[in-house]
Each structure stands twice: as C-alpha cells, then as structure tokens.
Amino acid sequence: MNMYDKLSRPFDPSQVSWRAQSLKSDGTAAMALCYIDARDVMRRLDEVCGPNGWSDSYTETGKGRL
C-alpha cells in the first residue's frame, strides 16, 4: 500500500463526531457537520510518515485569522 492509500483510508466511525451547524431560525432543522479531532489526524500522519516526516504551518490572513 502506498503512502497516499495509507493517508486516505477512512477513519474508524468511533473517531467521527457530529454537531449541528446553520440552525434554522425556528429551530426545526439544522445542517449536520461531521468532523474528526486534529489529534487523530496527527496520529495518522505519525503512523504513515513518521513523527519527523511531516509538519504544519499557519499563516495569518489580512483579517487576523489563521
């Protein structure tokens, strides 16, 4: 299995969380948003690339956001 295949394999369903996003004003509906914890992503990168085989960086936008 190549590196791309290892990185793109699905996460275990127990690692996926859900929350409501964009609630309707009357509270009758919402968009469901699924996400995984950044620690799970870092763990996957460590497993596939090695702890010293990857890095991340952040850049501030003109509006002061990262």
Side-chain angles (χ1 to χ4, degrees):
M1 185 179 287
N2 67 38
M3 187 179 288
Y4 178 79
D5 291 335
K6 291 176 184 177
L7 288 171
S8 61
R9 70 178 198 270
F11 282 88
D12 188 275
S14 67
Q15 294 172 293
V16 179
S17 299
W18 294 85
R19 69 179 176 92
Q21 172 90 8
S22 303
L23 291 171
K24 212 170 168 186
S25 61
D26 63 3
T28 60
M31 180 186 305
L33 178 69
C34 67
Y35 63 97
I36 55 174
D37 191 282
R39 288 172 289 231
D40 293 325
V41 174
M42 289 186 273
R43 194 172 301 112
R44 168 77 56 90
L45 288 165
D46 286 347
E47 290 170 2
V48 175
C49 304
N52 296 317
W54 66 275
S55 64
D56 61 353
S57 62
Y58 304 90
T59 306
E60 188 172 346
T61 69
K63 295 183 177 185
R65 298 180 179 169
L66 294 178

